[in-house]
Amino acid sequence: MTDLRLGLVGAGAVGVLHAEAAPRVPGVRVGAVCDVDPEAARRVAAPHGAPVYAGHRELISSGEVDAVVVATPHALHTEIVCDAAAAGLHVLVEKPMATSLADCDLMIAACAAAGVRLAVGHVQRFLPDKAAAMAALEAGEIGEPLMVSDRRGSDYRPGSRPGWFLDPELSGGGVLINIGAHSVDRLVWLSGRRVERVEASLSSSLPTTRPAAAGSGSGSANGAGTARGTGAADGPPAGLADGAPGCPPGVPPVETDALVRLALSGGLAAQITVTSTGPPAPHDEVVVVGERGTLSISPHTGTALHRDGVTTWLHRPGPDDVPAAFSVQLADFAGAVRTGREPAVTGTHGRHVLAVVLAAYASAARRTPVPIPGSTAGGPGDAVLREGAR
């Protein structure tokens, strides 16, 4: 069997996880790496003996890869995905799929027209704690789900992550689109239902900044240079250095805290809370309340079934849980490429997750519940999201 050669576009933390997953999947290897930071690209490529390229177009045209993994700032996904599809390359694009529904539609259409597979990197369903919960749900251990609570924490203090996360032009928003997208994805997957309506409240603990002085913002702390248009960035764009105090000059701060109430098909009620100003210890737990019991699901404590006053542990966390999840995700993608079947996480699913996130932004801005548009362009509610919520 010929190896599936992966081109990694973006050599940041998530790109590293994809690179480390490749040797664990039979018949898959890293074929090439690109990043605007050449040293980062070399570090990721070296263990695999893979060549390094300065930009995604050079990587795509190199003849070294059969598929690409796109792990760049969110707003840069679309151009890279469409370029890869046009070259006949299969695509695994990180979540969130994009920052607009129009961009999702462009990617879906480009891959369909080229006859290549498009997978979205919503890795939550491949984590052992989530897989154990799904097995229990499918076995009917708690009966029909009645309500779901999802609570997560993430550090959004300046300097805690690459600076582009605080630039809404590149990230699309703050904790909601970045961390909350995980919560929406696993809610839809675990419940098997679609979100129909959301109501959200957002806040930001980041300081407001003044407009930039003339001539400022010409460089970045890590030498990555501008990320816009390169399609190979995984560091901050020009003028936004890691550790910069607050958000980019003249740009309103992204949200650091979000509370979202969701109504799903079939009457299921859910709530998602993502906070950067909550408990200092990591917190990440989904609680599914069913007719005959409850599931609590956490990568920190494990997955437990609570029924009739008895707790049964279905999974306990281990150090290999996250690497294993990325390996299973990559194996699923490789299987889709080889067989022509759909991947576990399709572009249509990725679009629905983003539609829910964008509706939450619109709800917070308007202080009213917002319906979710359909999974195709022009569906009811699309116009609400296009107006811009932030």
Side-chain angles (χ1 to χ4, degrees):
M1 180 189 299
T2 303
D3 283 351
L4 178 67
R5 302 169 299 168
L6 297 179
L8 301 181
V9 184
V14 175
V16 170
L17 289 168
H18 286 292
E20 292 175 344
R24 298 173 57 140
V25 181
V28 176
R29 65 181 175 88
V30 175
V33 180
C34 72
D35 195 283
V36 293
D37 181 349
E39 187 54 41
R42 283 191 287 270
R43 283 195 301 269
V44 172
H48 309 277
V52 170
Y53 295 92
H56 79 276
R57 293 187 183 89
E58 291 86 351
L59 181 147
I60 287 170
S61 63
S62 68
E64 299 282 354
V65 302
D66 308 300
V68 296
V69 176
V70 182
T72 67
H74 311 149
L76 304 181
H77 289 174
T78 307
E79 182 180 2
I80 305 168
V81 171
C82 291
D83 285 348
L89 302 181
H90 304 276
V91 179
L92 170 57
V93 60
E94 263 301 326
K95 67 87 214 160
M97 185 177 176
T99 57
S100 73
L101 298 184
D103 279 354
C104 292
D105 294 332
L106 285 173
M107 287 186 271
I108 292 170
C111 291
V116 299
R117 298 299 93 193
L118 172 63
V120 184
H122 283 291
V123 75
Q124 288 287 308
R125 69 189 62 201
F126 302 109
L127 290 166
D129 60 301
K130 309 303 185 301
M134 177 57 90
L137 287 167
E138 291 179 335
E141 295 286 3
I142 65 170
E144 192 70 18
L146 303 176
M147 59 188 72
V148 181
S149 173
D150 188 312
R151 175 174 168 267
R152 287 200 64 170
S154 184
D155 193 347
Y156 254 72
R157 294 172 298 169
S160 65
R161 58 186 59 241
W164 66 263
F165 281 98
L166 304 185
D167 180 354
E169 291 299 314
L170 283 171
S171 63
V175 295
L176 180 57
I177 195 168
N178 185 32
I179 307 302
H182 282 307
S183 297
V184 174
D185 161 59
R186 62 198 192 186
L187 168 63
V188 171
W189 175 65
L190 286 168
S191 68
R193 308 183 192 192
R194 296 180 66 78
V195 182
E196 295 182 339
R197 186 179 67 256
V198 298
E199 185 175 2
S201 300
L202 307 176
S203 65
S204 179
S205 60
L206 296 173
T208 303
T209 60
R210 295 187 298 274
S216 67
S218 60
S220 67
N222 67 359
T226 180
R228 299 181 194 278
T230 67
D234 201 56
L240 183 56
D242 288 1
C247 61
V251 178
V254 298
E255 79 284 354
T256 59
D257 301 274
L259 174 64
V260 186
R261 294 161 291 279
L262 309 96
L264 288 82
S265 56
L268 182 67
Q271 178 171 295
I272 292 171
T273 305
V274 187
T275 179
S276 179
T277 55
H283 56 283
D284 181 348
E285 184 181 44
V286 181
V287 175
V288 183
V289 178
E291 297 169 312
R292 298 189 297 276
T294 297
L295 287 168
S296 58
I297 313 152
S298 171
H300 304 301
T301 57
T303 299
L305 168 63
H306 311 281
R307 190 172 56 194
D308 298 327
V310 177
T311 294
T312 303
W313 287 98
L314 308 179
H315 174 76
R316 285 290 198 177
D320 195 51
D321 281 6
V322 172
F326 274 83
S327 299
V328 176
Q329 176 181 245
L330 186 53
D332 173 79
F333 175 59
V337 168
R338 290 198 175 101
T339 66
R341 64 165 173 79
E342 287 294 319
V345 186
T346 64
T348 299
H349 175 83
R351 187 189 194 277
H352 181 63
V353 170
L354 181 65
V356 174
V357 169
L358 295 180
Y361 281 125
S363 171
R366 297 176 174 204
R367 300 184 181 182
T368 186
V370 169
I372 308 303
S375 60
T376 57
D382 270 12
V384 172
L385 306 189
R386 282 197 295 269
E387 289 179 13
R390 297 179 293 284

